[in-house]
Amino acid sequence: MPQLHDLPATEMVAGYRRRELSPVDVTQAVLRHIERWEPHLQALFLLRPERALAQARASEARWLRGEPLGPIDGVPVTLKDNIATAGDPTPLGTAAVDLVPAAADAPPAARVRDSGGVVVAKTTMPDYGMLSSGLSSYHALARNPWDLTKTPGGSSAGAGAAAAAGYGPLHVGTDIGGSLRLPAGWCGIFTLKPSLGRIPIDPPYTGRAAGPMTRSVADAALLMQVLSGADPRDSMSLPWQDIAWHDSDRGVGRLRGLRIGLLLEAGCGLAVLPEVRSAIEHAARLFERAGATVLPMQPFMTQGMLDGMDHFWRMRSHVDLKALPPERRALVLPYIRRWADSAATLGGEAMFKAASQFHATRVATVAACRAFDYVLSPVSPVPAFPAELPSPTNDPLRPLEHIGFTVPFNMSEQPAASVHCGFTRDGLPIGLQIAGQRFDDLGVLQVARAFELLREPMPAWPQPPAGSREHVD
C-alpha cells in the first residue's frame, strides 16, 4: 500500500468522503516527507507547516460535517512562486525584486483556496522564469529527485521536483515556452499546458498558461475541475465551459481510429538525441498497436522563428532590467543580464521582424497540425542537464535551443501535455508531448491517459537519500 504522502489526490478525496482518511494525517505525512527530501531538492519557499495544518484541520471539520468546499478539499497543493498569494511576496525567482506582499490571490491560488486545497508551500523558479532550470539568484538551487546532480527543468523547477518527490499530489506551475512540460518531462511526471485562457492567470501574457503538475492524468483532470473557467483579470480567459473533466479515462479504445502526427525533428535548435528519439518512436508504435494511424510530420518550425521570439524576449527583459536601479540590476543572474543586454543594439526594424515571428509560428503550427487529431513529439531533444547550468547549451546567446517542440503550442494556443515514456541509459526520464487541436484539452487528457495504460509500468518513485531524517512534532 502506498504511504499517505504518495496517495493520488483522487484516492485522498475518496478516503475523506468515506471517513477513512484525515486531511490532518495526510498533511502531516506530506510535511514529514518534505522534511526528509527538501535539504536535497530545495524545491520550496514559504514552507509554513503550521498554516498548512490549520488548513487541514479546517478541512477535516468540513468533511466530518459532510460539507467539503470543492473537489480537492483537504488535498495538499503547492503553487509556483509567480502565482501570487495574498500577503506573501512574489520574488519571481530573482533577488532583484522588492519583496512586497501581494494584495490578492492570483486566479489559480484563489481557486485552490476556494476549493479547500491545503496550500503547503510555494515552489521555486529561476530569475523571471527565463530559464529552463532551477538556477536562481533568490532561491536555492533546485535539483532533480531522479538524479541530484541534474536539473529538474524550469521554469516550474520546484513544482516538477516536488511532484516527482511526493510533496503531495497536486502542484500548479506556469508555461510560456515549455515551463510546465520541460520539468514534467525531465522529472517523469504529467502536466497539461492547457489552451490559452482555459485557466485564467494574472498577469496575462501572450502564450502564458498555468497548469497542473501531477504524477497522473487523473489527478491533473481533478485539478482542472478547480482551475478552469473565466476570470475578468485575465483578458484572454475563455468563457466558462461545462467540460467533463471527470471523463478523462476512456481507456485504450480512445485511440482507435485516431489520425496521429509523429514529429521527430523540431526544425530548429538542438538535434534530438538517439535515446530520446527511440523512446518517442516506441510510444508511437504503442499508439499504432492500439488502432491509431500514425503518420510522419515534417518540421514546421524554423530557426528564424525561434530566434525571432528569443530576440523579442531579450528586448523585453533588457527594457525591464534597464529600469531597475543599478544595485538591483546587479543582483540578477549574470547569464540573464548578458542575454538581455545582447538586445541593446537591436533597432526598430529588427524588433518588428522579431515580433512577427510569434504570429508566423502560430500560423505554421496550426497549418501543420490541421491534418491530425493529435501530434506526438519529444518534449525536449535532450534529457535533464547538470543542475548548475542555466540551459543545456550554457550559452546566453543560444539559450532556447531546446524549446523547439514546446514553444509552438504556446503561440498556437493549443493544449499540449507531457507524459512519461521512458528512461535514458543513465536513468533520466524522457517525456512524450501530446498536442491537440485548440480547445480540445479534455481530448489531450484522454489520449494521455490511454498512453498511461499502454506504456510499461513506472518504476518506484525516487526516495530521499539514505540517512535523511525527519522531525516529528
Side-chain angles (χ1 to χ4, degrees):
M1 292 291 292
Q3 298 183 63
L4 286 179
H5 67 265
D6 272 331
L7 286 174
T10 52
E11 292 188 22
M12 287 181 183
V13 172
Y16 300 158
R17 184 171 292 113
R18 295 190 302 264
R19 299 190 180 184
E20 295 173 355
L21 293 177
S22 156
V24 174
D25 291 344
V26 167
T27 301
Q28 287 175 329
V30 168
L31 290 170
R32 286 194 296 268
H33 188 66
I34 287 172
E35 193 162 5
R36 290 191 295 269
W37 251 129
E38 186 57 11
H40 309 282
L41 295 185
Q42 302 178 140
L44 303 180
F45 85 115
L46 296 183
L47 173 62
R48 294 174 292 206
E50 70 288 346
R51 293 195 187 188
L53 288 169
Q55 295 171 64
R57 285 190 286 270
S59 172
E60 183 174 72
R62 289 191 295 270
W63 279 108
L64 290 174
R65 295 195 305 268
E67 299 174 353
L69 289 178
I72 61 168
D73 201 331
V75 178
V77 184
T78 72
L79 300 167
K80 189 177 175 180
D81 165 338
N82 63 347
I83 297 172
T85 48
D88 297 325
T90 309
L92 305 177
T94 180
V97 169
D98 288 325
L99 299 180
V100 178
D105 285 338
R111 292 177 181 206
V112 165
R113 292 194 204 274
D114 290 346
S115 190
V118 174
V119 179
V120 172
K122 305 289 287 288
T123 51
T124 61
M125 61 183 281
D127 287 50
Y128 299 105
M130 294 310 299
L131 298 176
S132 297
S133 78
L135 187 63
S136 164
S137 62
Y138 180 78
H139 301 299
L141 177 64
R143 296 181 179 274
N144 192 317
W146 292 97
D147 181 341
L148 293 174
T149 71
K150 305 298 183 183
T151 183
S155 63
S156 302
Y167 288 19
L170 302 180
H171 310 270
V172 185
T174 63
D175 188 317
I176 200 172
S179 290
L180 286 165
R181 288 156 290 161
L182 290 164
W186 290 333
C187 290
I189 63 168
F190 178 78
T191 194
L192 172 69
K193 182 210 73 67
S195 299
L196 185 70
R198 180 70 70 203
I199 297 173
I201 195 165
D202 182 33
Y205 190 81
T206 301
R208 184 172 183 239
M213 301 181 76
T214 63
R215 287 180 168 184
S216 69
V217 172
D219 276 0
L222 180 68
L223 192 48
M224 287 300 295
Q225 294 182 41
V226 173
L227 298 176
S228 61
D231 190 291
R233 289 176 286 176
D234 186 344
S235 57
M236 292 178 276
S237 69
L238 297 174
W240 182 84
Q241 187 177 354
D242 187 11
I243 297 174
W245 300 112
H246 62 276
D247 195 24
S248 61
D249 189 351
R250 290 286 193 89
V252 173
R254 177 67 172 82
L255 304 182
R256 185 166 299 280
L258 292 181
R259 186 177 173 90
I260 305 287
L262 178 60
L263 183 66
L264 292 172
E265 298 293 340
C268 58
L270 296 173
V272 178
L273 293 186
E275 284 183 291
V276 174
R277 184 185 182 105
S278 177
I280 305 305
E281 289 175 330
H282 176 68
R285 289 192 292 272
L286 295 180
F287 275 78
E288 285 184 315
R289 292 171 192 167
T293 299
V294 179
L295 300 169
M297 290 179 68
Q298 294 302 308
F300 53 86
M301 282 285 289
T302 67
Q303 193 66 41
M305 292 174 184
L306 185 63
D307 289 346
M309 290 185 281
D310 175 19
H311 292 161
F312 181 88
W313 284 329
R314 292 184 200 209
M315 180 59 79
R316 183 190 72 172
S317 294
H318 174 66
V319 171
D320 288 345
L321 296 188
K322 192 166 66 170
L324 294 174
E327 65 275 13
R328 287 279 179 186
R329 186 179 180 279
L331 298 175
V332 177
L333 283 176
Y335 183 98
I336 295 289
R337 294 203 310 269
R338 186 179 171 198
W339 171 73
D341 288 348
S342 69
T345 59
L346 293 177
E349 181 177 348
M351 288 315 302
F352 171 78
K353 291 179 178 177
S356 298
Q357 297 309 307
F358 288 92
H359 185 65
T361 299
R362 177 191 183 101
V363 171
T365 307
V366 172
C369 296
R370 188 173 296 127
F372 303 102
D373 298 306
Y374 301 94
V375 171
L376 306 180
S377 76
V379 169
S380 167
V382 296
F385 50 94
E388 293 79 9
L389 297 184
S391 70
T393 61
N394 195 27
D395 182 351
L397 302 183
R398 295 177 57 241
L400 305 182
E401 299 294 291
H402 56 291
I403 69 169
F405 289 107
T406 52
V407 72
F409 298 108
N410 293 80
M411 299 310 127
S412 68
E413 306 183 15
Q414 294 170 243
S418 173
V419 59
H420 175 74
C421 70
F423 288 92
T424 67
R425 286 186 297 273
D426 294 331
L428 297 175
I430 297 170
L432 170 71
Q433 181 171 248
I434 303 173
Q437 297 293 336
R438 192 179 177 206
F439 310 131
D440 188 22
D441 305 70
L442 179 59
V444 170
L445 289 177
Q446 291 171 342
V447 170
R449 173 56 183 156
F451 179 71
E452 280 185 335
L453 295 170
L454 288 172
R455 73 185 180 191
E456 289 77 11
M458 281 280 290
W461 292 98
Q463 296 299 314
S468 298
R469 300 174 64 184
E470 69 180 50
H471 170 74
V472 181
D473 291 327

